[in-house]
Amino acid sequence: MGIKAALPRYELYLYSAVLAGALIWAGSWIFEASSDNVNRKAFKEGVKPGWHYFGRKMDVADFEWMMWFSTFRNHILFALTGHVIFAKIFTLLAPKHRPLIFAAYGGLAVLVTMGWTFMTLVVSHCVILYSIALVKKKWMCFAAGLGTLASIKLEPYNTWQETLVTGSFDLQDILFYGGCGFSIMRCMSFALENCDRKEGNYTFSDLLKYNFYLPFFFFGPIMTFDRFHAQANNTQLTRKEREMWNITTKALLHLGVILVVDVFFHYLYILTIPSDMKLVNKLSDWCLAGLAYSNLVYDWIKAAVMFGVINTTYVSLPPYEFLDLTSRHLTVWYVYDYIGESHDKIFKELLATVCTFAITTLWLGPCELVYIWSFFNCFGLNFELWVAKFFSIPPFSIMEGAMGEAMSRRIRGVFNAANFWAIVLYNVLSLNSLEFAKLVGRRIIFKGFPLSTLSVLLVTYCGVQLVKERERQQALLEDPDPVKPVDDGKEKAE
């Protein structure tokens, strides 16, 4: 289907109205459930006093969000501001030594935060994986990297290593597993890129510069070593036109989103309500659908904001190409894309997804919930390809070719709407709980059929078409004339 498959403007307005109305309606149900149950015992831990001029309590169930933008906000801002200041100073004074200074600042910040035993543990991981990298065998790099990753995820090795962290504070577990996990993944990237280097090896100091770059260290995102090395060692620093304006605009945008989300949490307790199954069982189908949908969208927004805040510190290394959020883990580059190649072959895609989610399961920590989440994600990616292949064979391909592009887009939108709700359900597993996901699926798909099921799919279909329209317009901006014109000489000859 081409990007010129435009729908009538009145139809898009209708989709917008239906989607807006449904979101307001579902939001009103969630608001009512939040207001009527604010003093429940089950809400004691997840709902705390909020901004005092609102006069309402606030949903604080997401520890990660509260850590970044409330509890430890000043500590994080202090560390990242120091990074930016150091970057600016040494960019002017000694641009050739910037990566070394970044690593020294990052290493000092890690040492002060976590102690010398944790620092020693991380450096020991670097030494082990650097030694394997010198052999230049990819399978050995993968085996060593995954083995090291397993040592911090599986008993009894993870408990032993965790005891090496001295002291006790609220972020200890998160910083330990985040720091060690991302460090190992970066070491794997370094080792795999070293295997591809034709002459010689990268140095151990190159690995340390990459690993201890502070904005990456504890929470990612992960940039592959080859991209980081090329950009960090670029001494020809030039700013794009209006780059500082764009950085400032994005920073203000992220600040605005943070404030909107915090206000939102004062009125809609979307994170705390799903944890109270007694209450959830009493809610309407619309309220359940709204909770499931809003949790997924919130998770996307959170990831975009957190990575966006980190991105604003990269003014020390212009120009930067930032990662797509789906590429947070290195398995996307080194496993999924490597094995799956163009992702249009059924067996290769199956092998790529199985390998990718096997590694992701190890990364997240093997348990029942992660197994279920990985299985359904793996199945979903393959099912999309199976459906596409099925409809690419006659007579379906002939039927689609005979109909207009707009009608083809409408029909595909129906399948996309069903697929989106599959994504919602198996991601709610990890965002909330298995019990909540099962309840939403049972109520929306089975007990609510046909009214709730078809209503939710209709609203989702409207949202899908609006997203596709935005993608179409963006594609036209990037390539206003995607169809190449016929050669004049050939046309005259015909």
Side-chain angles (χ1 to χ4, degrees):
M1 182 177 63
I3 61 172
K4 289 189 175 180
L7 297 179
R9 190 168 294 275
Y10 73 84
E11 188 174 334
L12 295 172
Y13 287 149
L14 178 62
Y15 292 152
S16 301
V18 171
L19 181 62
L23 291 176
I24 293 171
W25 177 248
S28 67
W29 281 97
I30 300 173
F31 174 73
E32 183 179 346
S34 302
S35 300
D36 293 348
N37 298 280
V38 65
N39 294 316
R40 287 176 69 91
K41 277 188 177 181
F43 282 21
K44 188 175 180 181
E45 294 299 322
V47 178
K48 301 286 186 181
W51 298 354
H52 118 142
Y53 31 85
F54 278 125
R56 289 180 62 91
K57 291 184 177 180
M58 177 183 181
D59 193 337
V60 296
D62 187 348
F63 176 80
E64 194 173 24
W65 180 271
M66 298 306 296
M67 174 194 73
W68 269 85
F69 305 117
S70 180
T71 316
F72 294 93
R73 175 188 58 211
N74 294 338
H75 299 79
I76 293 171
L77 281 176
F78 177 79
L80 293 181
T81 300
H83 168 83
V84 172
I85 292 172
F86 268 81
K88 187 63 178 177
I89 292 172
F90 284 95
T91 295
L92 296 174
L93 298 180
K96 290 184 179 180
H97 301 292
R98 288 179 310 124
L100 182 62
I101 300 301
F102 296 156
Y105 178 82
L108 181 62
V110 172
L111 180 63
V112 171
T113 305
M114 300 295 288
W116 69 269
T117 51
F118 175 81
M119 190 74 167
T120 303
L121 177 64
V122 171
V123 173
S124 69
H125 290 159
C126 293
V127 170
I128 292 170
L129 292 171
Y130 178 76
S131 302
I132 301 297
L134 297 178
V135 181
K136 291 197 171 185
K137 298 289 185 183
K138 285 192 175 183
W139 70 268
M140 291 184 65
C141 296
F142 265 116
L146 295 178
T148 310
L149 185 62
S151 73
I152 67 165
K153 295 293 183 179
L154 303 175
E155 291 288 357
Y157 311 104
N158 61 334
T159 301
W160 173 76
Q161 291 185 80
E162 193 173 357
T163 58
L164 296 176
V165 182
T166 56
S168 178
F169 52 96
D170 290 341
L171 286 182
Q172 189 176 62
D173 287 346
I174 290 179
L175 296 184
F176 171 80
Y177 287 109
C180 282
F182 280 115
S183 177
I184 292 167
M185 297 294 274
R186 285 188 293 270
C187 289
M188 285 179 65
S189 175
F190 173 88
L192 292 168
E193 293 299 334
N194 192 65
C195 291
D196 289 335
R197 186 169 185 174
K198 295 179 180 179
E199 296 181 3
N201 298 287
Y202 291 110
T203 65
F204 187 65
S205 65
D206 289 330
L207 174 58
L208 294 181
K209 293 171 190 175
Y210 173 49
N211 194 42
F212 286 100
Y213 185 69
L214 186 61
F216 290 167
F217 189 82
F218 287 111
F219 304 109
I222 301 175
M223 175 177 279
T224 53
F225 173 76
D226 58 327
R227 296 175 66 192
F228 177 87
H229 184 72
Q231 294 180 37
N233 289 282
N234 177 24
T235 57
Q236 302 299 319
L237 301 177
T238 57
R239 290 205 178 276
K240 296 178 181 177
E241 186 179 355
R242 297 172 61 84
E243 184 176 1
M244 284 308 300
W245 167 259
N246 291 334
I247 290 172
T248 304
T249 303
K250 287 179 181 178
L252 291 175
L253 175 63
H254 292 131
L255 177 61
V257 172
I258 292 167
L259 294 175
V260 168
V261 170
D262 273 2
V263 172
F264 179 88
F265 280 156
H266 283 79
Y267 295 94
L268 304 175
Y269 302 154
I270 62 169
L271 304 175
T272 297
I273 290 176
S275 65
D276 186 354
M277 293 306 296
K278 287 184 179 179
L279 172 61
V280 169
N281 276 288
K282 300 175 184 177
L283 300 178
S284 68
D285 292 350
W286 274 102
C287 191
L288 287 178
L291 285 169
Y293 174 79
S294 57
N295 269 269
L296 179 63
V297 173
Y298 162 69
D299 189 61
W300 289 343
I301 291 173
K302 179 178 75 171
V305 169
M306 288 174 62
F307 288 176
V309 169
I310 293 176
N311 286 353
T312 59
T313 67
Y314 292 170
V315 294
S316 55
L317 292 173
Y320 244 79
E321 295 177 11
F322 303 123
L323 301 179
D324 185 279
L325 298 181
T326 59
S327 301
R328 181 169 181 170
H329 303 301
L330 295 179
T331 49
V332 173
W333 289 288
Y334 297 118
V335 180
Y336 184 60
D337 286 343
Y338 179 77
I339 298 175
E341 295 178 348
S342 58
H343 302 293
D344 59 356
K345 300 291 190 296
I346 291 178
F347 178 75
K348 284 189 174 182
E349 182 70 3
L350 178 62
L351 183 61
T353 51
V354 168
C355 292
T356 298
F357 283 103
I359 295 173
T360 304
T361 299
L362 179 61
W363 165 263
L364 294 173
C367 65
E368 181 187 13
L369 195 63
V370 174
Y371 294 146
I372 296 172
W373 176 84
S374 293
F375 171 80
F376 280 107
N377 272 277
C378 184
F379 175 79
L381 284 170
N382 284 278
F383 186 71
E384 286 183 37
L385 179 61
W386 299 341
V387 171
K389 289 289 186 183
F390 181 77
F391 283 100
S392 67
I393 60 176
F396 303 107
S397 59
I398 297 173
M399 292 168 60
E400 185 175 20
M403 66 179 66
E405 286 189 326
M407 182 56 67
S408 174
R409 171 174 159 178
R410 294 187 184 101
I411 293 173
R412 285 173 177 258
V414 175
F415 290 98
N416 287 334
N419 183 60
F420 178 82
W421 263 95
I423 294 172
V424 171
L425 289 176
Y426 56 67
N427 276 282
V428 163
L429 286 170
S430 60
L431 299 175
N432 300 112
S433 67
L434 177 59
E435 291 74 21
F436 179 66
K438 288 164 64 176
L439 177 64
V440 173
R442 187 166 59 247
R443 289 276 294 275
I444 300 298
I445 299 173
F446 298 108
K447 288 188 177 181
F449 187 84
L451 184 60
S452 296
T453 308
L454 296 180
S455 298
V456 168
L457 284 177
L458 174 63
V459 173
T460 308
Y461 171 83
C462 295
V464 166
Q465 290 295 3
L466 293 174
V467 170
K468 292 298 180 184
E469 179 63 20
R470 185 178 181 277
E471 290 176 354
R472 186 189 73 85
Q473 292 178 0
Q474 187 64 36
L476 288 174
L477 286 174
E478 294 173 359
D479 187 4
D481 189 15
V483 180
K484 292 182 180 179
V486 180
D487 181 79
D488 289 336
K490 182 185 274 188
E491 193 174 286
K492 288 177 182 178
E494 291 174 351

